Amino acid sequence: MTTHQAHAVPSGTVPNATDAPNALNATDVPTPPLTSADVAVDLAPLAAVLSDRALVDDLDVIAAHSKDRAVFAPIGAPRALIRARNVSDVQETLRFAHEHRLPVIPQGALTGLSGGANGVDGALLLNVAGMDRIVDIDTVEQTATVEPGVLNRALKDALVEHGLSYPPDPGSVDISTLGGNVATNAGGLCCVKYGVTKDYVRRLTVVLADGSLTTVGRPTAKGVAGLDLASLFVGSEGTLGVVVEIVVELIPAIPDPLTGVALFDDIRDAARTITEFMSSGVTPSMLEILDGTSIACINDYGDFGLPEGAAAMLLVQSNGDGSLERATADLTLFERIAAGQGATEVTISDDPDDSEMFIAARRSVGHALEKYAMAHGGGELVDDVCLPRKSLAEFFTRMQAIADEHDVMLAVVGHAGDGNMHPNVLFDVQDPASVARANAAFEAIMATGLELGGTITGEHGVGVLKQRWLAQELDPVAQRLHLAIKREFDSRGILSPGKMLGALAE
Ligand SMILES: Cc1cc2nc3c(=O)[nH]c(=O)nc-3n(C[C@H](O)[C@H](O)[C@H](O)COP(=O)(O)OP(=O)(O)OC[C@H]3O[C@@H](n4cnc5c(N)ncnc54)[C@H](O)[C@@H]3O)c2cc1C
């Protein structure tokens, strides 16, 4: 049995690749109709202007490149895969697609969790993972210039010898590309202090839907000339253009942190600790939460020294202002606040081995939940709501109510300092009733996120799977603006049709 990680599918249906919600048909695309998937298009002229063997028409290879990690998202049948090796390959592909009105799906490493990089019928998959050169590291400007296929970890590793760092660290840091990180505005564990991808993007070179090339952003540390178009591309999920070069800002190497762990019998006490600690003026470099179900699954997965039986665990790190004194003061304050909120145990450690083990435990949670899911029906819906921090206690009360009402198992982990929660609904994919309950729970989680003043996605993006929810989150004027911007950048609607903006109203 395989494990399925995905977002919601319609209540009462057994999920498969073709019946997931929000799948946009060609008829739903508001721009001029795209060439139907069953119309033959001669790709030889395109192949002739691309790098040698960049165009792949082997159906098995295309299928293998047609889906990201959101297993239940719809997967179409693209016509070809283009493994771009340079900017010219990207431009030629888009010029051809624009002329022939073919859908194009930009792709990085396909680690996305919302179906954004999945193939659609008749599309060209434009994969830029092979454009993976670190072009320049400028220690004076403190910037790095990279091609989009550079893995986040590869950049981090290359910066070590320069005493510099690039902080954004999604859980997929070892396997996702910087182009994908830009396109999804990826977050991660250290965002609570160091921010997300958008905070580090200085300049982008982008190929637009008609093949034209532009560079947006600032050449210098400061710059206010014109609109901030670079920010518009960050998080645009491949719907506005294909990022072919990125200039990111760097910071001096991050000092080592102290680590603290607090255990609670009631997860709402952990939530109140987060609220109080974050309002104390301290900025931790990490503040993560694991609920009791997640802790139990991690203990079943491996020995990371986590205690049995706790209802919640907070994992906190601080490197203060770089001094041990300040970091110690921060964690002493955390200890006092957690104890005051009813923590049953608080441990502070300056031993790097302890720290590494706790971080390894936190990073293992995906595998641990997958192991649990595989043994209990194989279904796992991963959600990604982000709440105002002051709503966290109420959020956990509602999560319990949702689990009870829909009779599902919920495991919640999250980037607590940011209020970014990942409730995982675990269910049996073979049992339609279980699938229906899981979907009802998933819908209820999304509704709760919005009701509590949060957003439908903190970092995983809208992709195919949250389009309907995006239409609920944005007001009518904002929806109109989104569609106007899309039309301006991509008048024929060839870039990622049926993704992200598909359910918005004019
Ligand atoms: C184990 C695991 C942990 C994860 N943890 C996190 C986390 O902590 N935080 C987080 O934010 N995400 C996380 N993710 C989700 C995912 O890794 C990120 O969204 C990542 O940024 C995707 O990068 P990618 O290279 O795989 O892009 P892909 O999945 O290939 O593409 C993602 C989206 O970006 C678009 N795109 C890709 N490259 C380009 C480009 N060059 N130009 C224009 N558009 C492009 C695609 O069309 C698609 O819409 C996790 C995923 C996994 C599997």
PDB file of all heavy atoms in Angstrom, residues 394-424:
ATOM      1  N   GLU A 394      -7.765  28.767  20.540  1.00  0.00           N
ATOM      2  CA  GLU A 394      -9.091  28.493  19.979  1.00  0.00           C
ATOM      3  C   GLU A 394      -8.981  27.517  18.793  1.00  0.00           C
ATOM      4  O   GLU A 394      -9.820  26.621  18.624  1.00  0.00           O
ATOM      5  CB  GLU A 394      -9.729  29.821  19.529  1.00  0.00           C
ATOM      6  CG  GLU A 394     -11.053  29.694  18.780  1.00  0.00           C
ATOM      7  CD  GLU A 394     -12.178  29.120  19.618  1.00  0.00           C
ATOM      8  OE1 GLU A 394     -12.013  29.030  20.849  1.00  0.00           O
ATOM      9  OE2 GLU A 394     -13.212  28.732  19.024  1.00  0.00           O
ATOM     10  N   PHE A 395      -7.941  27.665  18.006  1.00  0.00           N
ATOM     11  CA  PHE A 395      -7.737  26.760  16.865  1.00  0.00           C
ATOM     12  C   PHE A 395      -7.637  25.307  17.344  1.00  0.00           C
ATOM     13  O   PHE A 395      -8.280  24.410  16.780  1.00  0.00           O
ATOM     14  CB  PHE A 395      -6.459  27.159  16.121  1.00  0.00           C
ATOM     15  CG  PHE A 395      -6.109  26.241  14.974  1.00  0.00           C
ATOM     16  CD1 PHE A 395      -6.814  26.295  13.782  1.00  0.00           C
ATOM     17  CD2 PHE A 395      -5.071  25.324  15.096  1.00  0.00           C
ATOM     18  CE1 PHE A 395      -6.491  25.456  12.729  1.00  0.00           C
ATOM     19  CE2 PHE A 395      -4.748  24.485  14.047  1.00  0.00           C
ATOM     20  CZ  PHE A 395      -5.469  24.548  12.856  1.00  0.00           C
ATOM     21  N   PHE A 396      -6.864  25.082  18.390  1.00  0.00           N
ATOM     22  CA  PHE A 396      -6.716  23.697  18.862  1.00  0.00           C
ATOM     23  C   PHE A 396      -8.021  23.165  19.468  1.00  0.00           C
ATOM     24  O   PHE A 396      -8.330  21.980  19.322  1.00  0.00           O
ATOM     25  CB  PHE A 396      -5.552  23.592  19.842  1.00  0.00           C
ATOM     26  CG  PHE A 396      -4.222  23.685  19.156  1.00  0.00           C
ATOM     27  CD1 PHE A 396      -3.352  24.724  19.420  1.00  0.00           C
ATOM     28  CD2 PHE A 396      -3.859  22.739  18.203  1.00  0.00           C
ATOM     29  CE1 PHE A 396      -2.131  24.827  18.756  1.00  0.00           C
ATOM     30  CE2 PHE A 396      -2.641  22.830  17.532  1.00  0.00           C
ATOM     31  CZ  PHE A 396      -1.776  23.873  17.811  1.00  0.00           C
ATOM     32  N   THR A 397      -8.795  24.042  20.111  1.00  0.00           N
ATOM     33  CA  THR A 397     -10.121  23.612  20.601  1.00  0.00           C
ATOM     34  C   THR A 397     -10.968  23.156  19.417  1.00  0.00           C
ATOM     35  O   THR A 397     -11.624  22.114  19.446  1.00  0.00           O
ATOM     36  CB  THR A 397     -10.821  24.780  21.334  1.00  0.00           C
ATOM     37  OG1 THR A 397     -10.005  25.188  22.426  1.00  0.00           O
ATOM     38  CG2 THR A 397     -12.192  24.371  21.839  1.00  0.00           C
ATOM     39  N   ARG A 398     -10.924  23.951  18.339  1.00  0.00           N
ATOM     40  CA  ARG A 398     -11.722  23.605  17.150  1.00  0.00           C
ATOM     41  C   ARG A 398     -11.205  22.328  16.472  1.00  0.00           C
ATOM     42  O   ARG A 398     -11.990  21.555  15.941  1.00  0.00           O
ATOM     43  CB  ARG A 398     -11.689  24.759  16.153  1.00  0.00           C
ATOM     44  CG  ARG A 398     -12.182  26.069  16.717  1.00  0.00           C
ATOM     45  CD  ARG A 398     -13.563  26.397  16.216  1.00  0.00           C
ATOM     46  NE  ARG A 398     -13.814  27.807  16.430  1.00  0.00           N
ATOM     47  CZ  ARG A 398     -14.182  28.659  15.481  1.00  0.00           C
ATOM     48  NH1 ARG A 398     -14.363  28.244  14.246  1.00  0.00           N
ATOM     49  NH2 ARG A 398     -14.404  29.917  15.748  1.00  0.00           N
ATOM     50  N   MET A 399      -9.894  22.138  16.495  1.00  0.00           N
ATOM     51  CA  MET A 399      -9.343  20.914  15.863  1.00  0.00           C
ATOM     52  C   MET A 399      -9.876  19.672  16.576  1.00  0.00           C
ATOM     53  O   MET A 399     -10.236  18.681  15.937  1.00  0.00           O
ATOM     54  CB  MET A 399      -7.814  20.920  15.895  1.00  0.00           C
ATOM     55  CG  MET A 399      -7.146  21.897  14.962  1.00  0.00           C
ATOM     56  SD  MET A 399      -7.601  21.718  13.206  1.00  0.00           S
ATOM     57  CE  MET A 399      -8.813  23.011  13.057  1.00  0.00           C
ATOM     58  N   GLN A 400      -9.917  19.746  17.911  1.00  0.00           N
ATOM     59  CA  GLN A 400     -10.437  18.600  18.666  1.00  0.00           C
ATOM     60  C   GLN A 400     -11.901  18.364  18.309  1.00  0.00           C
ATOM     61  O   GLN A 400     -12.337  17.223  18.105  1.00  0.00           O
ATOM     62  CB  GLN A 400     -10.272  18.849  20.176  1.00  0.00           C
ATOM     63  CG  GLN A 400     -10.611  17.631  21.042  1.00  0.00           C
ATOM     64  CD  GLN A 400      -9.791  16.406  20.656  1.00  0.00           C
ATOM     65  OE1 GLN A 400      -8.558  16.471  20.663  1.00  0.00           O
ATOM     66  NE2 GLN A 400     -10.447  15.311  20.288  1.00  0.00           N
ATOM     67  N   ALA A 401     -12.656  19.471  18.226  1.00  0.00           N
ATOM     68  CA  ALA A 401     -14.089  19.342  17.897  1.00  0.00           C
ATOM     69  C   ALA A 401     -14.258  18.732  16.502  1.00  0.00           C
ATOM     70  O   ALA A 401     -15.136  17.896  16.273  1.00  0.00           O
ATOM     71  CB  ALA A 401     -14.759  20.713  17.976  1.00  0.00           C
ATOM     72  N   ILE A 402     -13.418  19.136  15.562  1.00  0.00           N
ATOM     73  CA  ILE A 402     -13.504  18.605  14.190  1.00  0.00           C
ATOM     74  C   ILE A 402     -13.170  17.111  14.179  1.00  0.00           C
ATOM     75  O   ILE A 402     -13.858  16.304  13.536  1.00  0.00           O
ATOM     76  CB  ILE A 402     -12.562  19.397  13.247  1.00  0.00           C
ATOM     77  CG1 ILE A 402     -13.142  20.789  12.991  1.00  0.00           C
ATOM     78  CG2 ILE A 402     -12.333  18.659  11.937  1.00  0.00           C
ATOM     79  CD1 ILE A 402     -12.202  21.745  12.268  1.00  0.00           C
ATOM     80  N   ALA A 403     -12.122  16.737  14.915  1.00  0.00           N
ATOM     81  CA  ALA A 403     -11.761  15.312  14.972  1.00  0.00           C
ATOM     82  C   ALA A 403     -12.910  14.496  15.554  1.00  0.00           C
ATOM     83  O   ALA A 403     -13.241  13.413  15.045  1.00  0.00           O
ATOM     84  CB  ALA A 403     -10.491  15.130  15.802  1.00  0.00           C
ATOM     85  N   ASP A 404     -13.545  15.033  16.609  1.00  0.00           N
ATOM     86  CA  ASP A 404     -14.663  14.312  17.248  1.00  0.00           C
ATOM     87  C   ASP A 404     -15.867  14.247  16.309  1.00  0.00           C
ATOM     88  O   ASP A 404     -16.449  13.180  16.090  1.00  0.00           O
ATOM     89  CB  ASP A 404     -15.075  15.008  18.556  1.00  0.00           C
ATOM     90  CG  ASP A 404     -13.986  14.910  19.616  1.00  0.00           C
ATOM     91  OD1 ASP A 404     -13.072  14.059  19.451  1.00  0.00           O
ATOM     92  OD2 ASP A 404     -14.035  15.684  20.588  1.00  0.00           O
ATOM     93  N   GLU A 405     -16.224  15.397  15.749  1.00  0.00           N
ATOM     94  CA  GLU A 405     -17.448  15.454  14.928  1.00  0.00           C
ATOM     95  C   GLU A 405     -17.344  14.555  13.701  1.00  0.00           C
ATOM     96  O   GLU A 405     -18.288  13.874  13.321  1.00  0.00           O
ATOM     97  CB  GLU A 405     -17.708  16.906  14.494  1.00  0.00           C
ATOM     98  CG  GLU A 405     -19.004  17.029  13.683  1.00  0.00           C
ATOM     99  CD  GLU A 405     -19.182  18.431  13.107  1.00  0.00           C
ATOM    100  OE1 GLU A 405     -18.522  19.374  13.589  1.00  0.00           O
ATOM    101  OE2 GLU A 405     -19.992  18.547  12.151  1.00  0.00           O
ATOM    102  N   HIS A 406     -16.156  14.545  13.077  1.00  0.00           N
ATOM    103  CA  HIS A 406     -16.016  13.794  11.817  1.00  0.00           C
ATOM    104  C   HIS A 406     -15.365  12.431  12.029  1.00  0.00           C
ATOM    105  O   HIS A 406     -15.126  11.699  11.060  1.00  0.00           O
ATOM    106  CB  HIS A 406     -15.232  14.624  10.803  1.00  0.00           C
ATOM    107  CG  HIS A 406     -15.924  15.906  10.452  1.00  0.00           C
ATOM    108  ND1 HIS A 406     -17.041  15.954   9.656  1.00  0.00           N
ATOM    109  CD2 HIS A 406     -15.675  17.186  10.827  1.00  0.00           C
ATOM    110  CE1 HIS A 406     -17.446  17.212   9.536  1.00  0.00           C
ATOM    111  NE2 HIS A 406     -16.636  17.972  10.245  1.00  0.00           N
ATOM    112  N   ASP A 407     -15.085  12.118  13.289  1.00  0.00           N
ATOM    113  CA  ASP A 407     -14.539  10.805  13.627  1.00  0.00           C
ATOM    114  C   ASP A 407     -13.300  10.486  12.781  1.00  0.00           C
ATOM    115  O   ASP A 407     -13.224   9.474  12.097  1.00  0.00           O
ATOM    116  CB  ASP A 407     -15.635   9.734  13.421  1.00  0.00           C
ATOM    117  CG  ASP A 407     -15.179   8.389  13.962  1.00  0.00           C
ATOM    118  OD1 ASP A 407     -14.258   8.372  14.809  1.00  0.00           O
ATOM    119  OD2 ASP A 407     -15.734   7.353  13.524  1.00  0.00           O
ATOM    120  N   VAL A 408     -12.342  11.417  12.806  1.00  0.00           N
ATOM    121  CA  VAL A 408     -11.095  11.214  12.061  1.00  0.00           C
ATOM    122  C   VAL A 408      -9.914  11.374  13.009  1.00  0.00           C
ATOM    123  O   VAL A 408     -10.027  11.971  14.076  1.00  0.00           O
ATOM    124  CB  VAL A 408     -10.917  12.233  10.908  1.00  0.00           C
ATOM    125  CG1 VAL A 408     -11.938  12.031   9.828  1.00  0.00           C
ATOM    126  CG2 VAL A 408     -10.921  13.670  11.433  1.00  0.00           C
ATOM    127  N   MET A 409      -8.776  10.835  12.574  1.00  0.00           N
ATOM    128  CA  MET A 409      -7.550  11.038  13.333  1.00  0.00           C
ATOM    129  C   MET A 409      -6.834  12.263  12.761  1.00  0.00           C
ATOM    130  O   MET A 409      -6.606  12.359  11.563  1.00  0.00           O
ATOM    131  CB  MET A 409      -6.660   9.812  13.191  1.00  0.00           C
ATOM    132  CG  MET A 409      -5.371   9.962  13.926  1.00  0.00           C
ATOM    133  SD  MET A 409      -4.834   8.374  14.511  1.00  0.00           S
ATOM    134  CE  MET A 409      -3.148   8.752  14.943  1.00  0.00           C
ATOM    135  N   LEU A 410      -6.518  13.192  13.652  1.00  0.00           N
ATOM    136  CA  LEU A 410      -5.816  14.412  13.248  1.00  0.00           C
ATOM    137  C   LEU A 410      -4.457  14.450  13.937  1.00  0.00           C
ATOM    138  O   LEU A 410      -4.369  14.195  15.138  1.00  0.00           O
ATOM    139  CB  LEU A 410      -6.579  15.648  13.710  1.00  0.00           C
ATOM    140  CG  LEU A 410      -7.648  16.275  12.834  1.00  0.00           C
ATOM    141  CD1 LEU A 410      -8.099  17.600  13.445  1.00  0.00           C
ATOM    142  CD2 LEU A 410      -7.136  16.505  11.440  1.00  0.00           C
ATOM    143  N   ALA A 411      -3.424  14.769  13.198  1.00  0.00           N
ATOM    144  CA  ALA A 411      -2.105  14.998  13.788  1.00  0.00           C
ATOM    145  C   ALA A 411      -1.689  16.401  13.368  1.00  0.00           C
ATOM    146  O   ALA A 411      -1.630  16.697  12.169  1.00  0.00           O
ATOM    147  CB  ALA A 411      -1.107  13.972  13.276  1.00  0.00           C
ATOM    148  N   VAL A 412      -1.432  17.266  14.344  1.00  0.00           N
ATOM    149  CA  VAL A 412      -1.123  18.661  14.007  1.00  0.00           C
ATOM    150  C   VAL A 412       0.331  18.964  14.351  1.00  0.00           C
ATOM    151  O   VAL A 412       0.789  18.735  15.469  1.00  0.00           O
ATOM    152  CB  VAL A 412      -2.034  19.648  14.765  1.00  0.00           C
ATOM    153  CG1 VAL A 412      -1.760  21.076  14.285  1.00  0.00           C
ATOM    154  CG2 VAL A 412      -3.497  19.292  14.586  1.00  0.00           C
ATOM    155  N   VAL A 413       1.050  19.461  13.353  1.00  0.00           N
ATOM    156  CA  VAL A 413       2.403  19.978  13.574  1.00  0.00           C
ATOM    157  C   VAL A 413       2.398  21.390  13.000  1.00  0.00           C
ATOM    158  O   VAL A 413       1.545  21.722  12.180  1.00  0.00           O
ATOM    159  CB  VAL A 413       3.493  19.142  12.869  1.00  0.00           C
ATOM    160  CG1 VAL A 413       3.501  17.734  13.386  1.00  0.00           C
ATOM    161  CG2 VAL A 413       3.315  19.157  11.361  1.00  0.00           C
ATOM    162  N   GLY A 414       3.333  22.211  13.426  1.00  0.00           N
ATOM    163  CA  GLY A 414       3.297  23.551  12.854  1.00  0.00           C
ATOM    164  C   GLY A 414       4.478  24.402  13.217  1.00  0.00           C
ATOM    165  O   GLY A 414       5.212  24.133  14.162  1.00  0.00           O
ATOM    166  N   HIS A 415       4.623  25.435  12.388  1.00  0.00           N
ATOM    167  CA  HIS A 415       5.623  26.468  12.643  1.00  0.00           C
ATOM    168  C   HIS A 415       4.931  27.458  13.590  1.00  0.00           C
ATOM    169  O   HIS A 415       4.374  28.475  13.166  1.00  0.00           O
ATOM    170  CB  HIS A 415       6.041  27.120  11.327  1.00  0.00           C
ATOM    171  CG  HIS A 415       6.421  26.123  10.254  1.00  0.00           C
ATOM    172  ND1 HIS A 415       7.417  25.186  10.429  1.00  0.00           N
ATOM    173  CD2 HIS A 415       5.923  25.907   9.011  1.00  0.00           C
ATOM    174  CE1 HIS A 415       7.523  24.453   9.321  1.00  0.00           C
ATOM    175  NE2 HIS A 415       6.620  24.865   8.457  1.00  0.00           N
ATOM    176  N   ALA A 416       4.956  27.101  14.877  1.00  0.00           N
ATOM    177  CA  ALA A 416       4.090  27.757  15.858  1.00  0.00           C
ATOM    178  C   ALA A 416       4.347  29.249  15.964  1.00  0.00           C
ATOM    179  O   ALA A 416       3.412  30.035  16.131  1.00  0.00           O
ATOM    180  CB  ALA A 416       4.290  27.092  17.220  1.00  0.00           C
ATOM    181  N   GLY A 417       5.597  29.653  15.860  1.00  0.00           N
ATOM    182  CA  GLY A 417       5.919  31.066  16.005  1.00  0.00           C
ATOM    183  C   GLY A 417       5.281  31.917  14.921  1.00  0.00           C
ATOM    184  O   GLY A 417       5.024  33.108  15.111  1.00  0.00           O
ATOM    185  N   ASP A 418       5.020  31.321  13.761  1.00  0.00           N
ATOM    186  CA  ASP A 418       4.357  32.034  12.663  1.00  0.00           C
ATOM    187  C   ASP A 418       2.848  31.798  12.665  1.00  0.00           C
ATOM    188  O   ASP A 418       2.148  32.332  11.813  1.00  0.00           O
ATOM    189  CB  ASP A 418       4.873  31.533  11.298  1.00  0.00           C
ATOM    190  CG  ASP A 418       6.341  31.806  11.107  1.00  0.00           C
ATOM    191  OD1 ASP A 418       6.785  32.908  11.456  1.00  0.00           O
ATOM    192  OD2 ASP A 418       7.050  30.911  10.614  1.00  0.00           O
ATOM    193  N   GLY A 419       2.354  30.918  13.531  1.00  0.00           N
ATOM    194  CA  GLY A 419       0.936  30.546  13.494  1.00  0.00           C
ATOM    195  C   GLY A 419       0.598  29.651  12.315  1.00  0.00           C
ATOM    196  O   GLY A 419      -0.566  29.480  11.952  1.00  0.00           O
ATOM    197  N   ASN A 420       1.618  29.062  11.679  1.00  0.00           N
ATOM    198  CA  ASN A 420       1.406  28.245  10.468  1.00  0.00           C
ATOM    199  C   ASN A 420       1.255  26.776  10.863  1.00  0.00           C
ATOM    200  O   ASN A 420       2.214  26.137  11.270  1.00  0.00           O
ATOM    201  CB  ASN A 420       2.601  28.435   9.533  1.00  0.00           C
ATOM    202  CG  ASN A 420       2.422  27.807   8.167  1.00  0.00           C
ATOM    203  OD1 ASN A 420       3.349  27.804   7.370  1.00  0.00           O
ATOM    204  ND2 ASN A 420       1.243  27.281   7.851  1.00  0.00           N
ATOM    205  N   MET A 421       0.009  26.291  10.747  1.00  0.00           N
ATOM    206  CA  MET A 421      -0.295  24.939  11.242  1.00  0.00           C
ATOM    207  C   MET A 421      -0.521  23.959  10.087  1.00  0.00           C
ATOM    208  O   MET A 421      -1.156  24.304   9.094  1.00  0.00           O
ATOM    209  CB  MET A 421      -1.568  24.983  12.096  1.00  0.00           C
ATOM    210  CG  MET A 421      -1.393  25.745  13.386  1.00  0.00           C
ATOM    211  SD  MET A 421      -0.204  24.922  14.461  1.00  0.00           S
ATOM    212  CE  MET A 421       0.735  26.311  15.038  1.00  0.00           C
ATOM    213  N   HIS A 422      -0.017  22.750  10.274  1.00  0.00           N
ATOM    214  CA  HIS A 422      -0.219  21.677   9.292  1.00  0.00           C
ATOM    215  C   HIS A 422      -1.026  20.551   9.945  1.00  0.00           C
ATOM    216  O   HIS A 422      -0.452  19.577  10.440  1.00  0.00           O
ATOM    217  CB  HIS A 422       1.127  21.128   8.819  1.00  0.00           C
ATOM    218  CG  HIS A 422       1.978  22.122   8.099  1.00  0.00           C
ATOM    219  ND1 HIS A 422       1.500  22.947   7.107  1.00  0.00           N
ATOM    220  CD2 HIS A 422       3.277  22.426   8.225  1.00  0.00           C
ATOM    221  CE1 HIS A 422       2.475  23.714   6.656  1.00  0.00           C
ATOM    222  NE2 HIS A 422       3.562  23.428   7.320  1.00  0.00           N
ATOM    223  N   PRO A 423      -2.362  20.672   9.967  1.00  0.00           N
ATOM    224  CA  PRO A 423      -3.157  19.538  10.448  1.00  0.00           C
ATOM    225  C   PRO A 423      -3.152  18.443   9.381  1.00  0.00           C
ATOM    226  O   PRO A 423      -3.426  18.702   8.211  1.00  0.00           O
ATOM    227  CB  PRO A 423      -4.563  20.121  10.612  1.00  0.00           C
ATOM    228  CG  PRO A 423      -4.411  21.613  10.498  1.00  0.00           C
ATOM    229  CD  PRO A 423      -3.209  21.830   9.643  1.00  0.00           C
ATOM    230  N   ASN A 424      -2.827  17.234   9.787  1.00  0.00           N
ATOM    231  CA  ASN A 424      -2.809  16.089   8.870  1.00  0.00           C
ATOM    232  C   ASN A 424      -4.001  15.206   9.200  1.00  0.00           C
ATOM    233  O   ASN A 424      -4.143  14.766  10.339  1.00  0.00           O
ATOM    234  CB  ASN A 424      -1.536  15.262   9.073  1.00  0.00           C
ATOM    235  CG  ASN A 424      -0.296  16.025   8.663  1.00  0.00           C
ATOM    236  OD1 ASN A 424       0.194  15.876   7.565  1.00  0.00           O
ATOM    237  ND2 ASN A 424       0.207  16.872   9.551  1.00  0.00           N
TER     238      ASN A 424
END
